């Protein structure tokens, strides 16, 4: 009988079951495991299941490490292998999961599970073209920097005397 295999994402304390023949990892919203980090490619890696074996393939230009060693093309995973994709630390597990980890329901498509699809945090003042209260809200970086400089100058002048 085949044991359950997981990619465990320590930062979110979640375990992703490897049930489909190809499991993708990357920054793209269509990935099975989305990693919202700038060092992760849109399609950074994938795990291909071949019978009882899980084969990790590195697809991203910044590389993937397993147990501290960079992999070039592919590598068979063993239970307990530490995987580093960008700065995200994952563990491959075919044994029992650590206490306190949530198993992600793979029957729910990742796009419909809001907990696995966190939006990228952006500074609201620097958004361009976004509607706020029915009107376009834009502040260029130049105007923002100019405002900060005027404020600093005003503080300097008024605190000096």
């Amino acid at each position: 009988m085949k044991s359950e295999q997981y990619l465990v994402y320590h930062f979110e304390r979640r375990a992703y079951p490897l049930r489909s023949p190809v499991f993708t990892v990357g920054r793209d919203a269509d990935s099975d495991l989305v990693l919202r980090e700038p060092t992760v490619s849109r399609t950074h890696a994938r795990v291909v299941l071949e019978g009882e074996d899980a084969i990790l393939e590195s697809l991203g230009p910044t590389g993937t490490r397993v147990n501290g060693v960079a992999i070039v093309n592919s590598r068979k995973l063993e239970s307990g292998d530490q995987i580093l994709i960008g700065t995200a630390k994952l563990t491959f597990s075919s044994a029992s999961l650590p206490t306190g980890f949530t198993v992600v329901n793979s029957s729910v498509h990742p796009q419909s599970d809001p907990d696995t699809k966190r939006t990228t945090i952006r500074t609201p003042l620097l958004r361009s073209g976004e509607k706020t209260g029915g009107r376009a809200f834009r502040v260029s970086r130049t105007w923002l920097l100019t405002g900060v400089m005027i404020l600093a100058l005003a503080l300097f002048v008024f605190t000096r005397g």
Side-chain angles (χ1 to χ4, degrees):
M1 180 176 158
K2 184 177 176 182
S3 64
E4 193 79 57
Q5 297 175 328
Y6 299 95
L7 277 184
V8 180
Y9 186 23
H10 298 276
F11 179 72
E12 292 184 344
R13 299 192 59 80
R14 292 175 182 262
Y16 293 82
L18 302 174
R19 293 185 182 136
S20 61
V22 178
F23 184 91
T24 57
V25 180
R27 205 176 65 233
D28 188 62
D30 289 331
S31 297
D32 295 306
L33 171 52
V34 177
L35 301 173
R36 299 279 183 199
E37 298 188 24
T39 57
V40 175
S41 304
R42 285 187 179 94
T43 306
H44 197 99
R46 69 179 167 211
V47 178
V48 178
L49 298 178
E50 295 177 357
E52 298 269 332
D53 296 334
I55 311 297
L56 176 68
E57 298 177 350
S58 180
L59 306 172
T62 57
T64 304
R65 294 184 169 276
V66 176
N67 299 327
V69 178
I71 62 170
V72 179
N73 295 323
S74 62
R75 178 172 187 234
K76 179 183 172 193
L77 294 172
E78 301 292 334
S79 188
D81 278 347
Q82 300 293 313
I83 304 164
L84 188 65
I85 297 178
T87 57
K89 296 175 185 174
L90 306 170
T91 302
F92 174 72
S93 176
S94 61
S96 61
L97 293 173
T99 305
F101 280 76
T102 304
V103 176
V104 176
N105 184 0
S106 62
S107 66
V108 177
H109 190 276
Q111 288 182 338
S112 63
D113 184 1
D115 292 334
T116 62
K117 300 295 182 182
R118 294 177 292 143
T119 57
T120 303
I121 299 171
R122 294 184 180 95
T123 307
L125 292 177
L126 300 179
R127 292 182 187 167
S128 60
E130 186 171 321
K131 297 284 183 177
T132 307
R135 60 184 174 84
F137 182 73
R138 288 185 178 193
V139 175
S140 72
R141 292 175 193 232
T142 305
W143 284 110
L144 187 61
L145 184 59
T146 302
V148 169
M149 295 298 286
I150 290 171
L151 180 62
L153 180 63
L155 284 172
F156 177 75
V157 169
F158 291 118
T159 58
R160 191 169 176 213

